[in-house]
């Protein structure tokens, strides 16, 4: 049985991705900071017939993330698919608010590097050796579409970090393509669960499954924003309870 590990698992898109892969026979490891919400999500997956387990971890703490992913590998015998999509909590956003491009400071960017860049590198360095030894594996990074394809100056401090993560993901795709490891970046622009059919979590999760099965493109730009969208309505895994 293959294993999917979701770093930054939440109740909307993360849960839908977990369900989609569980239907295909994957075991599911859910990683996020808070144990109680994770336990509720895994209980739901188990009630639906899936094999799932919660693994609390802080993506901004390399030791915590590394140790937790090692525990996932030990529990399931390896990680076949890593989906990396950490998200700030509402408390995080109060402590380090979104900053317009004209107001960016070094101090406003460094915590975002801890979450996205250091977290992403730490996660990949933990799971990649096992994938290489098996000669197969998939790594998917998810960020907001402002990481590159789109311009949202209101969230520049985050996008400096996610833009770097996107760049690395695309280069990692090229570096590992001949070694059986598929790497992709999902640039997500969607008001998830707010009425647009293509922005429903299950619809987006289907796109992740297609990305995994087709294993061709280094990037999926998933744009499901309504024509009258406003910045404060953009909600995805990046804003959670």
């Amino acid at each position: 049985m293959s294993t999917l590990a979701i770093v930054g698992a939440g109740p909307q898109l993360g849960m839908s991705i977990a369900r989609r892969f569980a239907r295909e026979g994957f075991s599911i490891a859910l990683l996020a900071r808070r144990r109680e919400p994770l336990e509720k999500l895994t209980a739901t997956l188990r009630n639906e017939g899936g094999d799932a387990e919660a693994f609390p971890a802080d993506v901004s703490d390399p030791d915590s993330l590394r140790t937790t992913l090692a525990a996932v590998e030990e529990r399931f015998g390896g990680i076949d698919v890593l989906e990396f999509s950490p998200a700030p909590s509402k408390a995080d956003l109060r402590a380090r608010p979104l900053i317009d491009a004209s107001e960016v400071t070094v101090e406003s960017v460094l915590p975002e590097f801890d979450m996205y860049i250091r977290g992403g590198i730490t996660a990949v360095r933990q799971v990649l050796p096992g994938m290489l030894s098996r000669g197969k594996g998939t790594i998917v990074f998810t960020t907001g579409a402002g990481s590159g394809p789109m311009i949202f100056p209101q969230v520049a401090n985050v996008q400096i970090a996610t833009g770097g993560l996107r760049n690395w993901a695309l280069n990692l795709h090229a570096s590992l393509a001949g070694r059986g490891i598929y790497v992709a970046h999902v640039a997500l622009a969607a008001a998830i669960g707010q009425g647009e059919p293509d922005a429903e979590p299950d619809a987006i999760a289907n796109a992740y499954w297609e990305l995994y099965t087709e294993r061709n493109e280094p990037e999926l730009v998933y744009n499901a924003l309504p024509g009258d969208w406003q910045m404060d309505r953009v909600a995805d895994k990046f804003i959670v309870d």
Side-chain angles (χ1 to χ4, degrees), residues 176-187:
L176 294 172
R179 289 186 271 177
I181 314 301
Y182 173 60
V183 180
H185 173 252
V186 177

Side-chain angles (χ1 to χ4, degrees), residues 43-111:
T44 299
L45 290 171
R46 289 171 182 165
N47 289 337
E48 295 172 354
D51 179 20
E53 190 165 332
F55 293 86
D58 184 352
V59 72
S60 297
D61 181 341
D63 289 337
S64 170
L65 182 57
R66 190 180 302 113
T67 299
T68 303
L69 285 169
V72 175
E73 292 175 312
E74 182 176 358
R75 162 68 173 81
F76 293 109
I79 294 172
D80 302 279
V81 180
L82 173 72
E83 195 275 324
F84 184 83
S85 52
S89 67
K90 291 181 179 179
D92 290 333
L93 290 170
R94 288 192 292 270
R96 53 177 211 266
L98 303 177
I99 303 296
D100 186 85
S102 63
E103 302 295 332
V104 163
T105 63
V106 171
E107 290 75 18
S108 70
V109 174
L110 290 179

